[in-house]
Amino acid sequence: MSEVAFHTGVGDKIGYCCRLLRKGYRQQARMVVAGEAEALSRLDQALWLFDARSFIPHRRLRAGEPLPAALLRTPIWLIEPGAEAPHHGVLLNLGPAVVPDFERFERLIEVVGLDEADRLAARRRWRAYEAKGLRITHHAQEGLG
């Protein structure tokens, strides 16, 4: 893993993730979004409506669901806890905990909202990454996006 980037103070986590995913897709990055089922449902729906001028191709993978071989070229995957990531490019974490096997990814992006519970969980993840000796960058959004 080359980098862990924390994006903090994000007012609209789903909208912010849509923008990150659109940017990654335009740069031909392969991305995986990990999070709880409810957050992934909101993100899935938002990606369909986000940009009327361009489609952001993505696929949802639930825990226990087999990986569809015909769709492995899909650049963006939304994976629930327990689902196996189809590739190990960029990992975007929307969940409250450290994603198992996060070290397998080239890069990790943590998106942190404004509420106190989200910030406390992010602090725990930050300390876990620091304990592993990973380089962490911080991008404060100050409630924007």
Side-chain angles (χ1 to χ4, degrees), residues 21-104:
L21 293 170
R22 177 178 59 191
K23 180 180 179 181
Y25 173 64
R26 288 178 176 169
Q27 294 174 350
Q28 299 181 350
R30 296 177 53 77
M31 302 179 80
V32 170
V33 181
E36 301 298 322
E38 190 255 324
L40 294 178
S41 290
R42 288 184 296 138
L43 179 59
D44 186 19
Q45 183 177 18
L47 284 169
W48 284 101
L49 305 171
F50 178 65
D51 188 342
R53 295 169 287 146
S54 66
F55 174 66
I56 303 170
H58 64 283
R59 174 80 158 87
R60 180 121 179 236
L61 191 61
R62 291 172 174 82
E65 184 179 1
L67 192 61
L71 298 174
L72 284 179
R73 297 183 122 189
T74 302
I76 298 169
W77 287 81
L78 313 180
I79 64 166
E80 293 181 10
E84 181 66 32
H87 61 75
H88 299 101
V90 177
L91 173 62
L92 197 157
N93 185 19
L94 281 181
V98 170
V99 176
D101 296 328
F102 74 89
E103 297 102 332
R104 296 171 65 188

Side-chain angles (χ1 to χ4, degrees), residues 109-123:
I109 299 172
E110 291 277 355
V111 179
V112 183
L114 298 172
D115 69 75
E116 189 63 20
D118 201 22
R119 292 188 347 231
L120 290 174
R123 287 185 190 121

Side-chain angles (χ1 to χ4, degrees), residues 3 5 18 35-36 38 43 79 89 107 116-117 129 132 141:
E3 178 187 0
C18 286
E36 301 298 322
E38 190 255 324
L43 179 59
I79 64 166
R107 187 168 172 231
E116 189 63 20
Y129 302 137
K132 291 190 173 279
Q141 305 304 309

